[in-house]
Amino acid sequence: MHVFWFLLLTMVVVVTAVTLAVVGGGGSAVLQDVEPERFTDPLPASRPVGRADVEALRLPMAARGYRMADVDEALSRLGAELAERDARIAELESALAGAQASAVSTGTDLFEQPGEDRPAEPGDRGAAPADRGEETGR
């Protein structure tokens, strides 16, 4: 019976000592407080976000997954970048459509380089009468 009480008392002392050591019951803290992991935005502010930037994006973990604020911040940044690109694409497409429409109405070639002379084709307005098959002597 004395052995049982001795083992029980020893076990209580050991558990108490380990608990105090882990919690830091002494004058100095054994386990130091760690700063929580915070999101540092790796997405570039000086240039548009690219595929490599999105692939390199790593969000900090929380106790139950990812930190919602960090995920929301990254997704809103990516959404803004995509909206900006979509607006730019729409602007360029409308400018191209306008240029094509004006080229069709005036008969100019959009892809002709400045200063490049193209041979006259039959039926061109600017072709010489001989090129069109008309007689020049009459």
Side-chain angles (χ1 to χ4, degrees), residues 9-105:
L9 182 63
T10 305
M11 187 173 67
V12 169
V13 169
V14 168
V15 169
T16 304
V18 169
T19 303
L20 288 176
V22 169
V23 175
S28 65
V30 176
L31 293 178
Q32 304 205 357
D33 292 333
V34 177
E35 283 291 318
E37 188 178 7
R38 293 289 175 210
F39 179 62
T40 55
D41 189 9
L43 300 175
S46 60
R47 61 177 173 78
V49 175
R51 179 180 179 164
D53 298 322
V54 174
E55 288 174 353
L57 180 65
R58 296 293 175 256
L59 299 170
M61 297 292 291
R64 293 176 49 196
Y66 292 101
R67 296 181 192 279
M68 198 179 325
D70 296 339
V71 173
D72 290 344
E73 181 181 336
L75 288 177
S76 67
R77 171 76 192 280
L78 290 173
E81 290 277 340
L82 289 173
E84 184 178 319
R85 286 182 185 177
D86 289 345
R88 180 71 178 143
I89 289 170
E91 176 186 328
L92 292 173
E93 284 177 343
S94 68
L96 178 63
Q100 286 175 339
S102 67
V104 166
S105 66

Side-chain angles (χ1 to χ4, degrees), residues 119-125 127 131-133:
E121 295 179 11
D124 277 352
R125 292 183 204 163
D131 292 340
R132 282 187 267 155

